[in-house]
Amino acid sequence: MENIILVVHLILAICLIGVVLLQRSEGGGLGLGGGGGVMSGRQAATALGKLTWAFAIAFLATSITLTIIAAQNSAGSSVLDRIGGGPATEAGDSPALPPASDLLPPISGDAPLLPPRAD
């Protein structure tokens, strides 16, 4: 079910991008120029405008649906549970850290501690 909604979501995204790119550019930015006149705040609704709204509403609906499905699938589990590290048993316990010597790269006896200076 989740895969079907995801495929529909991706198709809606591509359609929404296409419909927006097909619309005529107003050129004024923020809808201030062209079209229905500068003083009128309302422009004529075109078929592409209505189609854009329909795709946008459907896109948001599939986004919310995918979010709900993902929340239901992840209920009660954690990323740490999946990788094997469980939560601490007591409030003050913390998982044991490896010794610092295991985290550092190996040091050979004759290697310099610093890289040579670029003079």
Side-chain angles (χ1 to χ4, degrees), residues 33-113:
V38 177
M39 296 307 289
S40 66
R42 185 176 174 107
Q43 297 179 357
T46 62
L48 284 177
K50 291 179 182 179
L51 197 58
T52 303
W53 274 105
F55 282 146
I57 291 169
F59 182 81
L60 289 176
T62 56
S63 297
I64 292 171
T65 305
L66 285 171
T67 302
I68 292 170
I69 291 173
Q72 288 174 350
N73 288 344
S74 67
S77 67
S78 170
V79 175
L80 293 177
D81 293 339
R82 287 186 228 152
I83 61 173
T89 55
E90 294 180 12
D93 276 351
S94 64
L97 296 175
S101 60
D102 290 348
L103 300 175
L104 298 175
I107 300 174
S108 61
D110 60 345
L113 294 176

